[in-house]
Structures are given as C-alpha cells and as structure tokens.
Amino acid sequence: MRIVLVGPPGAGKGTQAAFLAKNLAIPHIATGDLFRANMSQGTDLGRKAKEYMSAGQLVPDEITIGMAKDRMAQPDAANGFLLDGFPRNIAQAQALDAYLDETGRQLDAVLDLEVPEDEVVRRIAGRRICRNDSSHVFHVEYKAPATEGVCDVCGGELYQREDDREETVRKRLEVYHSETEPIIDHYKAQGLVTTISALGAVEEVTERAMNALKRD
Ligand SMILES: [Zn+2]
C-alpha cells in the first residue's frame, strides 16, 4: 500500500505513522528522518539542505522532493510506503503525483488525522520536559507530575519548550491551514481521502486507521 498521512501538529502523526507502517509491513518515510539521513551521509541534497538551514532559510521544495524520490526508489519501498510529513504543500503533492505517474505507481489512500484546534493547543502547550533528560515528558493535564514543576523520574526541573508555547502552536496551525490543508482537497478530487478522528488512546486511533484502510 502507498499511503500519505496528513494531520495538524499535535495529532500524534509520527506515532501513528510508526504503528501503521509496522502493521502494514511498509517503510515509514518521515521527512525529518530523510533530512537527518541525507545530512549525516553528506549527500548532495543533504549538503544543500544544510546550507539553507544554517542560513536560517527554508529548504526549497525541490530538495525535499529529491530526498523523498530517492527514498521511494529504494528496494524496500517497491511494494509500498507510508509518507509522513511529505507532501506538505501543493507543489510537493504535484511533484509526488508526477513521480508516481512516471514510475507507474499510484497512491492507495490519504489518511487525514483530525483533531479540534483547541485540543491541539491543549496537547502541545501542556507539555513539560525535564531539563536533565528530554525523554522525561509530562503534561499539566494528562500526565501531571506528583509535584508541580518537578520530574517524577529524576527530580529535575520541568520546563516548557519554546516550540510548545501557545502562540507558537497557533502559528504552526496557521501554516498548516494555509499550506498543508489544500493538499487534502487536492487528494479529495482524486477520491483518496479518508478522515479519521485522532482523539482517544494511541491504540484506538491506530485501529480506526487500520479499519479505514481495509474499507478502501
Ligand atoms: Zn527527569
């Protein structure tokens, strides 16, 4: 199966992508991983991406598209893949369509994870991270530490990351609405979109997604 997973920040997209890819036995192709791999291997695309990033500039679509194409051309992706974070705008979606056409392949489904905006803000803005170890993660509502501001695991100080502040989250949501959401309409026109609720436990969402894929 060839699947694109879309959803706003805070929808738990990365977690769902990992579970779904495992259940479906297809590679999970995440944009973040592509960038890290290309940069650590020093590929041409990785070096170019690094130049833009060190200059504090956005990486142009062609570079992201190039990395995604290289990855989709790997043998383990011959029978399917799950794309996570790509395409993230119309230009990338059109490039993906063209690439799949050229290689005689088609998408099977676009899974749209839906979360109410206030819930996204609550999920992200409530996160608190331990200064000693960033894997010690708490949440003021959903996973409160025994003592406010103190890590249950190591006693370290808990803080809110800059990226997790409400204003930042609202800004990321705006970007999602204006740049990424249009790809949902793009794929709706191709009859590929299935929308599922991303509320509830991780396993519940995975089950919903698997059922939606089976129906297709
Ligand atoms: Zn800690």
Side-chain angles (χ1 to χ4, degrees):
M1 276 194 122
R2 294 180 198 93
I3 303 165
V4 170
L5 194 62
V6 289
K13 202 156 50 73
T15 310
Q16 285 307 324
F19 278 113
L20 288 171
K22 200 174 167 222
N23 280 351
L24 296 163
I26 50 177
H28 169 200
I29 303 182
T31 318
D33 295 338
L34 289 181
F35 273 83
R36 274 188 290 277
N38 275 276
M39 290 195 287
S40 70
Q41 289 158 21
T43 65
D44 276 352
L45 291 169
R47 275 203 306 269
K48 278 183 203 152
K50 213 178 229 170
E51 280 170 26
Y52 284 99
M53 288 160 87
S54 1
Q57 288 173 325
L58 283 178
V59 177
D61 284 334
E62 305 88 75
I63 292 178
T64 312
I65 292 164
M67 288 180 186
K69 280 188 189 177
D70 285 351
R71 183 63 189 86
M72 287 184 284
Q74 298 294 311
D76 68 337
N79 294 315
F81 46 74
L82 188 150
L83 295 173
D84 162 15
F86 177 87
R88 63 171 307 251
N89 57 36
I90 284 285
Q92 294 185 4
Q94 285 165 343
L96 174 62
D97 286 354
Y99 170 76
L100 291 172
D101 264 355
E102 279 163 27
T103 53
R105 295 186 278 184
Q106 284 177 338
L107 287 179
D108 295 293
V110 174
L111 267 184
D112 169 27
L113 293 181
E114 201 173 52
V115 200
E117 191 149 327
D118 287 341
E119 177 62 18
V120 166
V121 173
R122 205 177 302 140
R123 281 185 186 186
I124 301 180
R127 261 187 222 152
R128 296 294 181 270
I129 318 283
C130 176
R131 288 209 189 271
N132 294 338
D133 186 333
S134 60
S135 74
H136 303 163
V137 181
F138 297 83
H139 192 283
V140 292
E141 281 179 67
Y142 306 134
K143 197 190 168 202
T147 309
E148 199 189 320
V150 180
C151 176
D152 281 352
V153 184
C154 72
E157 185 198 349
L158 298 179
Y159 75 107
Q160 184 183 43
R161 290 188 315 182
E162 200 62 41
D163 269 1
D164 292 347
R165 291 188 186 282
E166 176 161 352
E167 314 85 83
T168 318
V169 178
R170 299 246 179 231
K171 244 175 240 152
R172 282 162 66 198
L173 281 168
E174 266 170 43
V175 173
Y176 179 76
H177 289 314
S178 61
E179 288 184 19
T180 307
E181 256 177 11
I183 75 171
I184 296 173
D185 287 330
H186 172 85
Y187 287 125
K188 269 188 185 155
Q190 300 178 22
L192 289 172
V193 177
T194 305
T195 301
I196 61 163
S197 164
L199 293 179
V202 170
E203 309 79 54
E204 284 167 15
V205 181
T206 308
E207 201 184 322
R208 242 173 256 152
M210 288 301 288
N211 286 335
L213 291 173
K214 263 181 230 150
R215 252 203 329 269
D216 283 347

